[in-house]
Amino acid sequence: MTASGSGLDPHISPKSAEIQIPRIAEASGLSEEKIEKIVKNNTSGKVLGVFGEDKVNVLMVNIEIAQAMDLI
């Protein structure tokens, strides 16, 4: 999964993650459903349910994908 444009922010929007799921599934050999579950597990909501936006932690998604592929 790719990070933000600057590469400094370890989070992306759920929509940005969703767009990448088919490519990641093909590259990793994991099912799209498995990737979707990993993304969902690493998505946090708005602060206090009101402030900010939902976001996906790219680092944690990449770690879980690597673990699912038995790379780490």
Side-chain angles (χ1 to χ4, degrees):
M1 183 156 290
T2 58
S4 67
S6 69
L8 299 175
D9 185 359
H11 301 88
I12 60 173
S13 72
K15 186 68 176 172
S16 293
E18 181 183 328
I19 291 168
Q20 297 181 57
I21 288 173
R23 179 186 59 79
I24 295 166
E26 184 177 337
S28 68
L30 300 174
S31 70
E32 287 190 27
E33 292 78 20
K34 177 70 173 170
I35 303 295
E36 287 170 1
K37 183 177 178 184
I38 290 171
V39 169
K40 184 177 178 183
N41 290 343
N42 292 287
T43 300
S44 58
K46 298 175 182 176
V47 177
L48 300 174
V50 180
F51 303 105
E53 300 295 327
D54 292 348
K55 56 189 174 251
V56 178
N57 186 319
V58 173
L59 175 61
M60 295 309 296
V61 168
N62 287 337
I63 288 171
E64 275 197 50
I65 290 170
Q67 288 173 336
M69 295 173 58
D70 292 324
L71 297 176
I72 56 174

